DNA sequence: ACAGTACGAGACGGTTCGTCTCGATGGATC
DNA sequence: GATCCATCGAGACGAACCGTCTCGTACTGT
């Protein structure tokens, strides 16, 4: 956990939580574009200055609120990273393990509590480079590392080719799923993720 | 071309062009979030009502302006689709053809004239489903179909497995590139796109 | 020549922005 | 327990944009 709370001792924990709750609720109810700082403040029963004092933008508030939500839900990627029980399972069958995790990801991305904020943060990150790097580093990167770890183990077990770069290899199935979700290029389903794993593992060329 | 111009005969072509130019220039200069309808109107020397009369939103204006830019540049995906000379080349060497096209895509995504508007439209589409579907249908889809066509030809030539769905197979190399660009998860380069093609064609598993 | 519509310009009320200023509150220190 | 002082809730403030509306003008097709 290291040092996560030495900030300011006079800071009101109650207000912080109320702001997180209000931000997430508003994004879920009226969508990100119609969520305003004023609205968050009013709903949280807080002065606007209290928000501007601790966060730099609407997106910044939402990023922290979402990280908090993920942490509370025990779904925080960073938590997974630090607590080995959240690593991708290794049953010895790489294909089955990947399919299971990707199916779980499909479920998670469909969870209405996560969908709104996730889309908002991803969208803002596409245009705002600084926020984008923060979103990738804090939300995406830890999860990606779990895939890299699992692929590394698969290399040791001879399940995939030893000369591959795991950080690139994982993109063959993670990125298509991400794009279908972000851009809605096509529906994503269990069947789809299973197919992706098969295609990625065995390649497009005849063998 | 079919019916693309019967709209309203009294519509001012000069204003339409001025609005496109102003929108693209402002997005390039101050970024999408700080680009306003008022700003576009002022820069184009046009009344606000003229914009609201023909378009429903800032994003809508930018989408049409960008499509126009792409068309003018002879880079319009729809144009490629209709004019066979823009199809993905088929030299009989699938890997080489894909690598060449992906390298060209890297160049295109780095073109400063395209980067700002592309990011803005992609970002808006992530959050606004209606616009997202329009962006995918008008900008992305035509290009994707070219990949599908090339993969279909590769199947006929025995270069890739006949049981694959080309629409899914193409995602193995297109989506990773898209994600690196959209989310900046890692730098994208010629070396990277070449690697993607190799990984996708030959798969991750040993053979 | 005429009629009608889109045009440029900008006024309008409404919303949200980010800053600033109140007096109140409530931990930290002695 | 008294004192201190940063943070607190509240909201006033001017600025920026929103989307609508209303002018008088200019163009376009008949």
């Amino acid at each position: 956990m290291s040092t996560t709370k030495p900030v300011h001792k006079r800071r009101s924990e109650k207000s912080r939580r109320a702001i997180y709750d209000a931000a997430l609720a508003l994004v879920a109810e009226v969508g990100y574009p119609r969520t305003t700082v004023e609205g968050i403040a009013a709903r949280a029963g807080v002065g606007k200055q209290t928000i501007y004092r601790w966060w730099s933008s609407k997106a910044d508030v939402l990023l922290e609120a979402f990280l908090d939500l993920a942490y509370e839900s025990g779904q925080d990627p960073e938590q997974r990273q630090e607590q080995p029980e959240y690593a991708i399972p290794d049953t010895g069958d790489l294909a089955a393990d990947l399919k299971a995790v990707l199916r779980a990801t499909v479920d998670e991305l469909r969870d209405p509590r996560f969908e709104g904020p996730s889309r908002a943060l991803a969208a803002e990150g596409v245009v705002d480079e600084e926020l984008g790097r923060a979103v990738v580093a804090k939300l995406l990167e830890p999860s990606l590392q779990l895939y890299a770890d699992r692929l590394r183990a698969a290399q040791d077990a001879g399940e995939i080719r030893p000369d591959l770069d795991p950080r690139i290899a994982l993109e063959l199935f993670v990125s298509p799923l991400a794009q279908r979700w972000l851009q809605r290029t096509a529906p994503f389903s269990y069947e789809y993720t299973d197919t992706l794993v098969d295609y990625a593992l065995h390649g497009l060329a005849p063998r």
Side-chain angles (χ1 to χ4, degrees), chain A:
Chain A
M1 285 299 149
S2 71
T3 50
T4 46
K5 287 288 178 49
V7 202
H8 275 66
K9 301 181 179 179
R10 337 263 293 203
R11 180 169 181 182
S12 165
E13 176 70 11
K14 200 170 89 179
S15 296
R16 196 179 60 85
R17 294 225 52 83
I19 289 166
Y20 286 167
D21 293 343
L24 291 170
L26 282 175
V27 168
E29 288 172 20
V30 306
Y32 179 73
R34 279 199 297 275
T35 296
T36 66
V37 174
E38 298 208 342
I40 296 171
R43 179 159 186 153
V46 144
K48 287 166 58 175
Q49 191 61 265
T50 300
I51 294 182
Y52 285 112
R53 189 178 354 255
W54 301 108
W55 294 280
S56 62
S57 66
K58 178 173 69 163
D60 195 26
V61 173
L62 188 59
L63 174 56
E64 281 198 19
F66 188 71
L67 285 170
D68 182 75
L69 169 67
Y71 182 84
E72 296 283 310
S73 305
Q75 306 223 18
D76 182 5
E78 293 189 83
Q79 190 181 11
R80 287 195 210 123
Q81 190 176 21
E82 289 166 21
Q83 304 185 0
E85 64 263 29
Y86 286 104
I88 293 175
D90 187 348
T91 66
D93 182 345
L94 177 63
D97 292 344
L98 291 177
K99 287 176 182 176
V101 172
L102 290 178
R103 284 179 176 220
T105 301
V106 168
D107 292 338
E108 194 176 313
L109 290 176
R110 280 177 171 163
D111 184 333
R113 290 182 308 156
F114 289 87
E115 169 145 14
S118 296
R119 284 192 180 279
L121 290 170
E124 203 72 6
V126 167
V127 161
D128 178 342
E129 176 160 355
E130 184 180 336
L131 180 75
R133 297 201 180 280
V135 169
V136 168
K138 295 184 180 176
L139 276 176
L140 199 56
E141 181 57 35
S143 296
L144 294 183
Q145 191 55 46
L146 298 184
Y147 285 100
D149 293 344
R150 181 62 185 86
L151 291 180
R152 163 66 59 192
Q155 283 180 320
D156 294 341
E159 287 188 293
I160 68 172
R161 307 208 315 265
D163 58 307
L164 296 176
D165 180 343
R167 293 291 313 200
I168 297 178
L170 66 87
E171 296 179 30
L172 291 203
F173 40 86
V174 169
S175 294
L177 184 63
Q179 189 175 28
R180 282 212 177 187
W181 182 71
L182 280 175
Q183 316 237 46
R184 306 181 189 81
T185 49
F188 66 99
S189 59
Y190 287 170
E191 184 193 355
Y192 169 64
T193 53
D194 288 355
T195 303
L196 274 181
V197 171
D198 291 334
Y199 281 20
L201 289 183
H202 304 116
L204 307 181
R207 33 177 56 192

